[in-house]
Amino acid sequence: MNGWIDKFAEKMMPLAAKLGQNRYLTVLRDAFMLAFPLTMFGSLVVVLNNLPFWPENVSLQLNTLLGNGQNATMSIMTVFVAFGIGYYLTKSYGEDGVFGGVVALASFLILTPFFFETAEGAAVTGALSLDRLGAKGMFIGMIAAFIAAEIYVRITKKGITIKMPNGVPEAVSRSFAALIPAITTLTVFLLLNAAVNGFFNTNLHDVVYTIIQKPLVGLGSGLPATLVALLFAQLLWFFGLHGQVIVNSVMDPIWQTLSLENLAAYKLGDELPHIISKSFMETYTVGLGGSGMTLAVVLMMAFFFKNKQMKEIGRLALAPGVFNVNEPVIFGLPIVLNATIMIPWVITPLIVTSFNYAVMALGIFPIPTGVTVPWTVPIFLSGMMATNSVMGGILQLLDLVIVVLC
């Protein structure tokens, strides 16, 4: 068994290391984390406005009064992600991140139609549609931000900038230094938008959504792709690499988009379109004690194991485990490179996720609404918050039993 593990590790470690250190995946992760406090606030507003015990008229009134809390945060998440990508990518090259961020954001907005049709078919001009700044615009926002930041940085690196004399205030000097790279970058995007509109009578939002985003989101919303992602996360953790961070760097754009689409449907009172989403993954995988759903293991070690060492590790890991921090048990048990525990470590999340998907698809338990619930919220509470139903918390307790059996 150990010989097989060594051979597998030899093949996996270089790939995992490259993924973990990849500039673009790191930037993407950091950009989503930049938006996290804002989406968290928006989620809390949504939960407050739609608590299940509110009478319908109270809920409607709260949405009227407090709805902008969500509109200004979660509904325009692509705005923050585009800025974050521009900022962190430019900064990673050693250049001024703020100007890279605003240029990336402006480039995305140049490609965004400033008109939309209402549900009644009336055309509204000189306005931005929220869905273009949220779920539907996520992929074009990421692509535009990466390309814009790269163009901006390359021009800056070549020294094609305006250099001000000594004594000029730093803010003024930085603005003039960014002038030529910014104008050049924005001109490229303006001409691109004009060409797409002029020659093809469409916009890049719709092109990217149809050709790239929709197929990818459809793939990511399915159970097989989710199980593959979880399998890789568990294997990477087994070899001591942070599987959650590495896998989420790739999958987060898809899962976040699915969450935003669920939230938009939930706000309108429509049927939720996706079972798999960022909310689902956070609540029903990490929300059960961290990666690998180890809270049940920690509880058994702390209260039911007779081995003194196991008991001590369980009790030390219990407090962090309640808040889904499980490094103490991963490295203390240990789970890393422990051949005897590899099979349950890998298959348990796959079994539990398949079970959750099935009971939600059958309508037995509610689907997460798309609100952002911090991954540190304890079990049961996070399930209730994610689904706006006590049944969401009960499902987590059932999951705990399945983990014990595994």
Side-chain angles (χ1 to χ4, degrees):
M1 181 72 171
N2 284 330
W4 175 83
I5 287 174
D6 290 340
K7 288 179 182 177
F8 189 75
E10 194 178 328
K11 295 181 184 296
M12 282 286 293
M13 294 287 271
L15 174 62
K18 284 182 180 178
L19 284 174
Q21 295 167 7
N22 183 274
R23 183 195 300 270
Y24 299 104
L25 292 180
T26 302
V27 165
L28 194 58
R29 178 199 67 202
D30 292 344
F32 275 109
M33 289 311 297
L34 176 72
F36 176 74
L38 305 172
T39 56
M40 185 65 245
F41 172 78
S43 295
L44 291 174
V45 172
V46 172
V47 170
L48 174 65
N49 290 353
N50 298 279
L51 287 171
F53 49 77
W54 289 142
E56 187 177 350
N57 63 321
V58 173
S59 186
L60 287 171
Q61 186 67 19
L62 285 172
N63 275 289
T64 301
L65 296 173
L66 306 178
N68 272 2
Q70 186 220 327
N71 292 337
T73 52
M74 291 197 73
S75 295
I76 59 169
M77 186 175 175
T78 300
V79 170
F80 310 123
V81 171
F83 175 84
I85 289 171
Y87 176 85
Y88 287 113
L89 185 56
T90 305
K91 195 175 177 183
S92 75
Y93 285 110
E95 300 296 336
D96 195 328
V98 172
F99 286 100
V102 294
V103 168
L105 175 56
S107 299
F108 161 63
L109 293 175
I110 284 174
L111 300 179
T112 305
F114 276 69
F115 64 87
F116 61 93
E117 285 189 0
T118 64
E120 293 76 27
V124 178
T125 58
L128 288 163
S129 172
L130 279 181
D131 64 343
R132 303 281 192 189
L133 305 180
K136 199 171 181 181
M138 182 63 74
F139 277 69
I140 185 66
M142 291 190 300
I143 294 167
F146 274 118
I147 294 173
E150 284 286 352
I151 295 172
Y152 177 85
V153 166
R154 288 173 192 275
I155 295 170
T156 305
K157 288 286 188 190
K158 288 182 181 293
I160 308 173
T161 59
I162 299 173
K163 294 179 173 62
M164 300 299 288
N166 294 332
V168 174
E170 185 185 353
V172 175
S173 181
R174 287 169 59 199
S175 294
F176 273 92
L179 192 59
I180 294 175
I183 289 174
T184 306
T185 305
L186 297 176
T187 300
V188 169
F189 279 87
L190 187 62
L191 293 175
L192 175 62
N193 187 63
V196 172
N197 284 336
F199 290 111
F200 303 104
N201 195 30
T202 185
N203 61 81
L204 275 174
H205 270 258
D206 291 339
V207 172
V208 169
Y209 182 76
T210 304
I211 296 175
I212 300 176
Q213 180 169 333
K214 205 171 179 182
L216 277 178
V217 166
L219 178 66
S221 66
L223 182 61
T226 305
L227 294 181
V228 170
L230 278 173
L231 174 64
F232 272 101
Q234 294 304 105
L235 287 173
L236 290 169
W237 263 121
F238 180 78
F239 294 110
L241 297 165
H242 202 305
Q244 209 73 32
V245 168
I246 294 170
V247 170
N248 284 8
S249 296
V250 178
M251 297 300 295
D252 260 0
I254 296 172
W255 289 336
Q256 289 279 13
T257 301
L258 294 168
S259 274
L260 291 173
E261 290 181 359
N262 271 10
L263 188 63
Y266 177 71
K267 193 177 175 184
L268 294 171
D270 297 338
E271 184 180 352
L272 301 182
H274 310 293
I275 294 175
I276 302 295
S277 65
K278 181 67 173 174
S279 297
F280 176 92
M281 299 305 295
E282 291 286 333
T283 307
Y284 293 102
T285 59
V286 178
L288 300 174
S291 299
M293 308 176 178
T294 55
L295 181 58
V297 179
V298 170
L299 289 169
M300 288 192 293
M301 288 168 64
F303 300 110
F304 300 105
F305 278 26
K306 293 181 179 179
N307 182 286
K308 187 177 179 182
Q309 182 184 351
M310 291 292 182
K311 228 179 229 307
E312 287 299 319
I313 293 170
R315 287 172 180 172
L316 286 171
L318 185 57
V322 169
F323 297 97
N324 304 316
V325 176
N326 64 345
E327 277 79 0
V329 72
I330 286 177
F331 296 102
L333 186 58
I335 289 170
V336 172
L337 295 176
N338 185 346
T340 60
I341 206 169
M342 181 181 183
I343 292 174
W345 168 254
V346 170
I347 68 167
T348 298
L350 307 184
I351 292 170
V352 173
T353 300
S354 299
F355 169 75
N356 289 339
Y357 188 94
V359 295
M360 288 180 186
L362 292 170
I364 301 171
F365 286 92
I367 298 170
T369 61
V371 297
T372 300
V373 179
W375 59 270
T376 51
V377 173
I379 190 171
F380 193 75
L381 289 175
S382 61
M384 287 197 300
M385 291 174 66
T387 60
N388 202 27
S389 167
V390 70
M391 293 297 287
I394 291 171
L395 177 57
Q396 286 184 310
L397 298 181
L398 282 177
D399 290 341
L400 210 63
V401 174
I402 296 171
V403 175
V404 170
L405 295 174
C406 289

